[in-house]
Amino acid sequence: MNESNEFGFPIKKARESLEKAVNEVLGSLGCTGAVTLEKPPREMGDLALPCFTLAKTMRKNPALIAKDIETKLADHRFSDLQKFFELEAKGPYLNFTLRTDYLIANVLSSILRKGANYGTFPLRNEFVILEHTSANPNGPFHVGRARNPIIGDTLARILRKLGFTVEVQYWVNDMGRQAATLSWGKDNIPDSSVAPMDPDNPFKDKNDHRLVRFYQEAHRRIENDEKLAGEIDRILYEIEDGNDEIKQNVRANSIKVLEGMKESLSRLNINFDKFVWESATVEDGTVTEVIDILKRSEYAHQDQEAWYLELEEFGISGRSTRFYFTRGDGTSLYTTRDLAYHLSKLRQCDRAVNILGEDHKLQANQLKIALGLLGSKVLPESIFYSFVSLAEGKMSTRKAQVVYLDDLIHESLQRAYEEVARRRPMLDSEQKKRIGLEVGLGSIRYNIIRVQADKRIVFRWEEALNFEGDSSPFLQYAHARCCGILDKANYQNYETPSADDVEKMAGDDFVMGIHDNERNLIRILADFPDRIEVAGLGYRPHFIPKYLQDLASAFNNFYQSCPVISGTDENIKRFRLGLVECTRIVLAEGLDLLGITAPESM
RNA sequence: GGGCCCGUGGCCUAGCCUGGAUAAGGCGCCAGCCUUCUAAGCUGGAUUUCAGGGGUUCGAAUCCCCUCGGGUCCGCCA
């Protein structure tokens, strides 16, 4: 067993060896500075060194330089490198192709040895608090904001795989006007005065769907009634003043709605480690602490009696550069409580990551500046996403222009079931239901996470419920195919090879005759750890679905061109079974990063 | 008025941070592949002024500037 197996990152090792060798050669040619290796078009190899920039300093044709370097690298001093790569100068490029025997001996054996832990990084001893969703508990989720929990949960899974210790938090607003409005509505509006619940509504028993009607009705009444608005203000004042009874009552109503919301997310495999209540920041004195410290800041000023920070010097521009942190009566604002929450969060963790809608960009920036003034060493990092909108425009609950997440889930499951029934009519209904569930739920997460966060998504049913091509079932199907082959092999008493077996095979003759599609599949399997790292550290979770798409596609090509069980040569059969097992492992692990199940049959 | 984000074949998306070899996938369209490990699959084909213009560079979808189109924000609200 060699070093790379121990860590399971064979490509990284090969790459480092290459960079070292290339740097040495360039140094001998009088060129210093870090070289950049890039990924060439597939037919050209696995890594490439473009020689244009060298041409300038060396005053020589780049094609000749490429040739030169190739010759130098062929020297016996670089025998280590030659174990990893085959070299070829092609025009102004020097291309490096990973040796197939190296790939087999290191990639496949790593995967077989580590199983589901392939691609798992060593623990980093870094504690991350990741906050996502934190939607006001006043009604059911609509898909306009569904990206938040999906991006957040996916990223949490990726960061954990990267060795971070992650705590996922939901910050619950129980001191705001929305919470008070909901609570007032529930306590003062009789059932008969709210919109009746459609008896066919599949969610008529969910608290978020039931209680939102009281919130909406209360909201409607407040708009035409100043006195009522004052009553809501009074509730808010009482809460901050420490009136326990009112606070508990508001919180109790929020909790009911929150239960319904949690249920929706939990169906999508999304759960939280901790719910932090906004009112707790007042109770534990952090809010007072924040206000006291900020008042002493050189950027603090007063407008009448209210305190604010003047942030123009920090590059904030626009109509108002003031960041208020108290009201005229000295009470806190939402932003103050948010600051307090972040301050205590940052005292506990090494990294704080927030998933926020793009409408929070300015606010997040102001928050960061204020936290700096509060003396926080660690500052929160934010990932912003654009909204999911409808073709008709923005989603709005009031204009009844809205698709609820529960509706989407419901519809997706129904459509998925119909698809299963159409494609696999022979299955029993229990099986159809199970597959429909896996496909239906997977599709929702997949279709949201596949798009980079800052790009707007226009919601269209036909796209959201697409089960072919760039979709979750495409990945799940490839996984099911792997399982099908392995099952059948097992039934026929063929064992998948062990890591040691595979290492031995790397020396065999048949490696020379390996099919392009086999080699390509191995190459992609090798990339998994790198892709997780880039997706996680760069906070770009959409890289994972892209990768899995490439992987599944490469597997399908392999499947089409390389018979496994029906093959005749025993060695090849064994080797391919190993390859299928490796693909199965990585697909399952990748799907898990996306919170999507990997069906064994479908 | 001022920020920030997005604009890639008919439609949707990746690539942009870190500039390189014919712009990569999917949907849809056309032509094929199920007596052989599940056709939610595979093979081949057609379709692109990478929003427009200028600049930097040996080289620009990628970097810089301007324009246009779309999103979003600028409350003693949350």
Side-chain angles (χ1 to χ4, degrees):
Chain A
M1 199 204 296
N2 60 36
E3 208 183 327
S4 64
N5 276 332
E6 234 171 275
F7 295 100
F9 305 116
I11 296 291
K12 200 167 250 178
K13 189 185 171 186
R15 194 192 167 107
E16 278 163 12
S17 155
L18 175 59
E19 279 169 354
K20 202 173 142 243
V22 168
N23 268 317
E24 200 178 320
V25 167
L26 288 181
S28 75
L29 291 172
C31 289
T32 48
V35 284
T36 45
L37 292 165
E38 58 182 52
K39 209 176 167 181
R42 184 161 290 162
E43 326 75 78
M44 303 294 186
D46 297 307
L47 285 167
L49 174 74
C51 301
F52 303 97
T53 38
L54 303 169
K56 210 167 200 175
T57 46
M58 293 171 68
R59 304 185 149 276
K60 201 167 166 186
N61 182 335
L64 290 175
I65 298 174
K67 206 81 195 157
D68 259 19
I69 301 175
E70 183 189 17
T71 313
K72 290 221 157 64
L73 284 174
D75 189 274
H76 66 277
R77 283 185 301 137
F78 301 112
S79 60
D80 196 35
L81 175 72
Q82 289 146 22
K83 274 192 310 205
F84 302 132
F85 292 100
E86 281 158 20
L87 325 187
E88 191 193 8
K90 190 152 190 177
Y93 296 91
L94 180 53
N95 295 325
F96 306 90
T97 306
L98 282 157
R99 295 177 57 101
T100 304
D101 52 356
Y102 175 77
L103 282 176
I104 294 172
N106 291 273
V107 178
L108 295 192
S109 67
S110 280
I111 300 171
L112 291 171
R113 202 161 270 139
K114 304 193 79 169
N117 284 322
Y118 173 63
T120 302
F121 285 64
L123 270 177
R124 289 172 200 257
N125 195 24
E126 238 187 283
F127 183 51
V128 180
I129 295 180
L130 190 154
E131 178 206 339
H132 71 76
T133 308
S134 301
N136 281 328
N138 53 20
F141 284 111
H142 61 71
V143 305
R145 300 211 174 235
R147 295 179 95 170
N148 199 321
I150 294 173
I151 292 171
D153 184 72
T154 307
L155 190 61
R157 288 164 185 266
I158 297 171
L159 291 176
R160 283 182 177 132
K161 184 92 179 158
L162 283 176
F164 293 96
T165 303
V166 182
E167 180 172 282
V168 180
Q169 295 192 356
Y170 189 123
W171 155 245
V172 197
N173 183 322
D174 62 336
M175 288 186 71
R177 185 155 269 115
Q178 296 191 31
T181 303
L182 165 75
S183 193
W184 182 89
K186 182 71 189 73
D187 296 341
N188 296 283
I189 300 173
D191 282 22
S192 56
S193 302
V194 297
M197 188 60 100
D198 183 345
D200 292 334
N201 186 327
F203 315 112
K204 59 179 189 297
D205 295 322
K206 276 187 84 207
N207 273 330
D208 47 347
H209 289 263
R210 272 190 330 106
L211 294 182
V212 71
R213 298 170 306 146
F214 294 89
Y215 170 76
Q216 284 164 333
E217 177 60 21
H219 194 277
R220 197 187 61 77
R221 292 187 185 185
I222 289 166
E223 282 194 326
N224 320 310
D225 186 346
E226 252 177 57
K227 224 177 83 196
L228 188 50
E231 214 167 309
I232 303 290
D233 283 339
R234 202 181 50 77
I235 295 177
L236 291 175
Y237 183 82
E238 291 285 339
I239 294 174
E240 181 147 4
D241 203 37
N243 185 325
D244 236 35
E245 195 184 328
I246 291 182
K247 187 169 73 191
Q248 290 308 329
N249 186 45
V250 169
R251 190 184 282 197
N253 283 310
S254 293
I255 285 175
K256 275 189 202 149
V257 176
L258 196 58
E259 288 308 319
M261 298 166 77
K262 277 159 79 170
E263 198 183 315
S264 303
L265 295 185
S266 150
R267 297 211 72 184
L268 292 175
N269 235 335
I270 299 171
N271 297 289
F272 297 86
D273 298 314
K274 197 170 175 184
F275 289 79
V276 182
W277 294 85
E278 188 182 349
S279 51
T281 62
V282 177
E283 284 162 29
D284 68 12
T286 327
V287 163
T288 318
E289 185 188 346
V290 165
I291 292 173
D292 287 346
I293 300 173
L294 287 184
K295 275 182 182 170
R296 292 198 296 269
S297 157
E298 57 178 306
Y299 301 98
H301 301 277
Q302 275 185 291
D303 168 15
Q304 313 288 11
E305 295 296 308
W307 286 86
Y308 66 90
L309 297 171
E310 175 53 57
L311 299 184
E312 198 169 4
E313 258 184 59
F314 295 90
I316 301 288
S317 56
R319 291 193 180 99
S320 171
T321 56
R322 293 180 177 188
F323 180 70
Y324 281 89
F325 61 93
T326 76
R327 291 198 179 87
D329 63 6
T331 57
S332 67
L333 294 156
Y334 170 78
T335 36
T336 329
R337 271 120 48 195
D338 201 11
L339 263 176
Y341 166 53
H342 276 87
L343 189 63
S344 40
K345 200 156 72 168
L346 294 165
R347 282 171 177 162
Q348 301 164 48
C349 67
D350 304 301
R351 252 181 220 234
V353 180
N354 298 330
I355 315 295
L356 300 167
E358 62 173 336
D359 54 340
H360 284 71
K361 275 188 185 175
L362 173 62
Q363 190 192 120
N365 200 2
Q366 292 171 328
L367 189 84
K368 228 170 165 172
I369 295 167
L371 284 165
L373 295 176
L374 285 165
S376 214
K377 297 269 181 302
V378 183
L379 292 178
E381 300 169 83
S382 303
I383 296 158
F384 300 100
Y385 61 91
S386 296
F387 300 117
V388 178
S389 62
L390 296 170
E392 304 82 56
K394 203 172 165 177
M395 281 196 204
S396 151
T397 315
R398 270 181 304 165
K399 283 187 271 178
Q401 209 175 70
V402 68
V403 177
Y404 286 126
L405 183 57
D406 285 329
D407 291 326
L408 175 58
I409 294 172
H410 186 76
E411 192 74 26
S412 189
L413 295 184
Q414 201 140 341
R415 252 295 303 280
Y417 183 86
E418 285 164 18
E419 285 293 324
V420 181
R422 191 169 63 77
R423 294 170 198 260
R424 306 275 179 269
M426 304 306 277
L427 292 178
D428 62 59
S429 78
E430 208 47 43
Q431 286 281 310
K432 286 181 195 163
K433 234 175 134 177
R434 189 214 91 220
I435 297 166
L437 194 69
E438 300 200 48
V439 165
L441 294 175
S443 293
I444 293 173
R445 286 192 67 141
Y446 187 89
N447 280 309
I448 297 246
I449 202 67
R450 62 186 259 267
V451 182
Q452 71 178 76
D454 47 15
K455 209 141 171 167
R456 196 164 76 107
I457 296 180
V458 177
F459 181 85
R460 294 188 183 87
W461 281 107
E462 63 274 23
E463 272 170 31
L465 303 181
N466 164 39
F467 296 146
E468 282 168 17
D470 185 11
S471 69
S472 152
F474 181 87
L475 308 179
Q476 293 174 308
Y477 188 67
H479 180 267
R481 270 182 160 173
C482 291
C483 292
I485 294 172
L486 294 167
D487 268 1
K488 196 158 274 189
N490 188 40
Y491 184 72
Q492 295 180 8
N493 282 317
Y494 283 107
E495 266 181 46
T496 53
S498 70
D500 290 334
D501 294 339
V502 165
E503 277 170 8
K504 284 184 206 117
M505 286 180 192
D508 289 356
D509 287 346
F510 80 89
V511 167
M512 304 307 291
I514 198 163
H515 196 284
D516 276 356
N517 289 343
E518 290 179 276
R519 204 242 170 223
N520 186 41
L521 179 56
I522 301 169
R523 179 64 186 85
I524 291 175
L525 289 169
D527 262 339
F528 190 48
D530 278 349
R531 298 293 283 269
I532 297 171
E533 191 172 32
V534 178
L537 298 183
Y539 301 141
R540 284 174 290 191
H542 71 281
F543 280 11
I544 301 293
K546 202 73 198 165
Y547 169 76
L548 294 174
Q549 202 60 219
D550 288 346
L551 175 60
S553 182
F555 174 74
N556 284 332
N557 287 325
F558 159 79
Y559 177 88
Q560 205 72 24
S561 52
C562 306
V564 181
I565 301 172
S566 36
T568 47
D569 185 296
E570 290 301 312
N571 274 331
I572 294 179
K573 190 182 289 190
R574 234 168 124 60
F575 170 72
R576 287 182 177 167
L577 271 177
L579 191 46
V580 172
E581 169 68 1
C582 289
T583 307
R584 201 216 91 229
I585 290 169
V586 176
L587 277 173
E589 206 41 35
L591 282 166
D592 187 62
L593 287 176
L594 302 180
I596 299 173
T597 55
E600 288 179 12
S601 71
M602 61 187 276

